[in-house]
Amino acid sequence: MERDKQQPTLDDRIRFVARHYREGRFDEEAAWRRFASSHGIRRANRFVWRWASAAAVALLFVCSIYYIMYRERQPEWIVVATDARGMKEVYLPDSSCISLAAASEVRYDRKAFGVERRDIRLRGKAFFRVKHEEALPFSVRTEATEVTVLGTTFQVAERRGQTSVDVLTGRVRLEAAGEKVVLTEGMSATYEHGRRRIELAQRQSANVLSWETKVLRFENTPLAEVVHDLEECYGIHILNYKETGQKLTATFRELPVEDVLQIINETLNTEWSYE
Amino acid sequence: MVSTADFEYNFKSLYKPLCLFSLQFQGAAEDAEDIVQQAFADVWEKIRAGETILNLKAYLFQAVRNRSLSLASHAPLYETTEQLPDKPDLEPDEQIALAERDARLWSAIDRLPPERRRIFLLSKRDGMKYQEIADLLHISIKTVENQMSKALKTLRDTAIRIYMFFFG
């Protein structure tokens, strides 16, 4: 014989297998049935288990998918709030910046922010420096109004049943109760919740942003307005104020409230204090 | 502890190789099936008695080999002996691999299209010449040749795939 003695050739093996081949012979399924029945192995049970576990796995899989999709759609709120004395700088993912006044709160959905638009919800007062993004409108929603911008600096304050918007630079659109107005640099608008009307003012009060800048400017300002601006700026309440018909002209740059009051008291011969 | 499902899996995947392995030592397919059933029954009893069988596969092949040889020594061998001389030269691992390849060839024959399988078996199993097959089936000898070469290619591809699987 010529062929290798160690390894029979493939054709030999094919002939060997073919010689014994009969259809249905050496059928492992039939053989197992014979084996299982003669050894009391119940295979139905196993099938039930296999199906049950397969079904359980499938169910778990479907549930996880649903849960993940559900989670994906759920907003993930980032909330920043200040107490009555505090003030906070909030940097947004798009590098816009919010200066949050005392007793205020902003929130945004971390997942949705910057995807198609930039939505912020506000309670209280905040000053916004918005990074210019043509494709991503920046909106500030309060309970009653919505302010939309592209890139600008402005303030939104919601207090005592009114919302006021003061624009420092750029253009801002204010929407409330179906009414829309566009505010440009230097303009202010106030929306009275009760009257459901937007009122525009060409010149905003000089000190409307003082709480943020800590710069107060008074030019022949009636004392009632000075008191109001001081209270807004420092978040305090002025005591011992009496209307005397006097007016004040002064500029205070980043001074502590004690110093401001001392200067005013010495200039006007008053005895204001604060709490 | 071997679970029933594991045992069933082993049974089904080793059944054909073991039957074909048995046929290398004795020639009767029915006896091969009985021997393999008995070998599995033996293992099953051992497992149920709490015994551990370290290499189940090697153990089963050894058991089938022993049972087949003892049966062959009792009864005269009806088949020709041409395939016998090369057996003792192979290592046990090689014998197992060979039997597994035989089982894959068997399964490949199972999967041949019915007409091609019939022609293939008439030739390789029944030893008919191509012209005789053509006459029997009322087809041209070209068709027989064509079907045979396709069948053989399928089987060789099966075997080659297995080799690559082992050495690749």
Side-chain angles (χ1 to χ4, degrees):
Chain A
M1 286 210 282
E2 299 259 325
R3 66 172 193 220
D4 181 6
K5 264 178 77 177
Q6 286 284 315
Q7 284 286 349
T9 67
L10 181 57
D11 284 344
D12 285 341
R13 302 314 301 174
I14 290 174
R15 209 172 301 124
F16 169 76
V17 172
R19 193 163 48 240
H20 292 284
Y21 184 89
R22 297 287 184 282
E23 256 176 82
R25 178 179 280 178
F26 299 164
D27 177 2
E28 51 270 343
E29 297 295 335
W32 173 254
R33 281 196 292 278
R34 183 178 147 199
F35 185 87
S37 71
S38 65
H39 291 86
I41 300 168
R42 274 167 293 127
R43 71 201 302 278
N45 229 355
R46 197 185 57 79
F47 263 88
V48 169
W49 272 110
R50 178 162 292 184
W51 279 108
S53 52
V57 167
L59 191 68
L60 193 68
F61 181 74
V62 168
C63 286
S64 333
I65 294 288
Y66 268 99
Y67 179 66
I68 288 165
M69 284 167 66
Y70 171 77
R71 278 261 309 264
E72 285 297 307
R73 267 189 265 116
Q74 289 301 100
E76 200 173 290
W77 292 108
I78 306 284
V79 183
V80 182
T82 50
D83 59 22
R85 296 226 143 259
M87 183 188 140
K88 270 181 189 163
E89 298 274 298
V90 182
Y91 284 92
L92 298 172
D94 67 338
S95 79
S96 296
C97 178
I98 303 174
S99 298
L100 195 58
S104 301
E105 178 191 299
V106 287
R107 61 169 65 203
Y108 62 94
D109 179 0
R110 192 185 64 77
K111 283 189 209 146
F113 188 88
V115 175
E116 277 175 21
R117 37 193 302 119
R118 297 171 285 176
D119 283 340
I120 296 285
R121 300 203 186 170
L122 169 71
R123 283 202 349 243
K125 182 161 82 170
F127 176 73
F128 296 85
R129 278 182 225 95
V130 177
K131 180 147 190 291
H132 187 85
E133 292 270 7
E134 199 75 50
L136 298 173
F138 189 102
S139 293
V140 180
R141 207 172 298 186
T142 66
E143 208 185 326
T145 63
E146 182 170 352
V147 180
T148 307
V149 299
L150 291 175
T152 171
T153 51
F154 66 102
Q155 170 175 284
V156 178
E158 184 187 46
R159 289 278 154 85
R160 296 185 291 271
Q162 72 169 43
T163 306
S164 54
V165 179
D166 302 282
V167 179
L168 216 67
T169 62
R171 285 155 62 90
V172 161
R173 188 178 70 210
L174 170 65
E175 270 185 77
E179 203 179 342
K180 289 182 194 173
V181 295
V182 174
L183 307 176
T184 54
E185 216 166 298
M187 285 176 77
S188 297
T190 304
Y191 174 74
E192 300 276 352
H193 298 187
R195 294 164 59 196
R196 300 173 64 80
R197 270 191 58 196
I198 297 176
E199 286 188 12
L200 291 176
Q202 287 298 327
R203 294 249 28 104
Q204 58 196 239
S205 158
N207 296 319
V208 72
L209 297 172
S210 64
W211 65 273
E212 209 275 319
T213 59
K214 290 287 179 273
V215 176
L216 284 163
R217 269 199 198 82
F218 300 109
E219 230 183 295
N220 267 332
T221 311
L223 290 192
E225 199 176 312
V226 173
V227 167
H228 172 265
D229 287 356
L230 284 173
E231 287 181 341
E232 280 288 309
C233 176
Y234 292 103
I236 54 169
H237 188 64
I238 298 285
L239 303 172
N240 297 334
Y241 156 70
K242 290 183 205 71
E243 182 53 65
T244 58
Q246 286 174 293
K247 290 186 174 170
L248 178 68
T249 298
T251 299
F252 303 109
R253 275 180 201 282
E254 298 178 52
L255 289 180
V257 63
E258 292 86 357
D259 295 4
V260 173
L261 288 185
Q262 194 187 347
I263 291 167
I264 292 176
N265 284 338
E266 284 173 5
T267 311
L268 302 177
N269 203 22
T270 53
E271 288 179 359
W272 294 0
S273 59
Y274 74 97
E275 63 174 18
Chain B
M1 187 64 196
V2 181
S3 73
T4 308
D6 286 343
F7 185 82
E8 181 181 343
Y9 175 79
N10 279 313
F11 184 99
K12 287 181 178 172
S13 57
L14 292 175
Y15 188 76
K16 263 195 190 66
L18 286 168
C19 286
L20 284 156
F21 187 63
S22 171
L23 282 179
Q24 298 182 8
F25 306 102
Q26 59 82 34
E30 292 74 18
D31 288 342
E33 296 208 63
D34 285 342
I35 287 167
V36 173
Q37 288 272 352
Q38 281 165 21
F40 273 112
D42 176 40
V43 166
W44 179 246
E45 293 307 325
K46 279 191 159 59
I47 289 171
R48 293 232 305 199
E51 283 184 47
T52 307
I53 298 168
L54 282 180
N55 190 337
L56 183 67
K57 194 165 154 182
Y59 181 92
L60 280 163
F61 273 92
Q62 189 59 45
V64 167
R65 176 195 170 91
N66 293 343
R67 286 168 187 272
S68 303
L69 284 174
S70 78
L71 185 75
S73 67
H74 291 309
L77 206 56
Y78 297 114
E79 298 282 320
T80 59
T81 54
E82 68 166 48
Q83 77 272 26
L84 279 180
D86 45 21
K87 297 299 154 351
D89 296 334
L90 292 172
E91 295 293 315
D93 279 356
E94 290 178 302
Q95 290 186 4
I96 291 174
L98 211 59
E100 286 181 325
R101 197 185 71 181
D102 288 350
R104 285 168 199 268
L105 289 171
W106 186 289
S107 299
I109 297 173
D110 270 337
R111 287 193 300 268
L112 288 176
E115 189 63 17
R116 189 176 302 163
R117 183 168 62 216
R118 190 172 175 206
I119 293 166
F120 171 82
L121 290 172
L122 286 172
S123 166
K124 292 290 175 185
R125 182 180 65 196
D126 306 331
M128 286 171 73
K129 296 189 176 1
Y130 286 4
Q131 188 58 59
E132 292 169 344
I133 297 170
D135 293 344
L136 178 71
L137 301 178
H138 306 293
I139 52 178
S140 74
I141 191 162
K142 274 263 175 264
T143 309
V144 176
E145 283 168 5
N146 190 18
Q147 292 292 329
M148 279 306 291
S149 79
K150 279 180 180 162
L152 287 169
K153 183 178 187 314
T154 305
L155 296 189
R156 289 195 184 109
D157 285 352
T158 307
I160 287 164
R161 262 214 312 282
I162 306 318
Y163 278 132
M164 295 203 309
F165 187 67
F166 278 138
F167 303 120

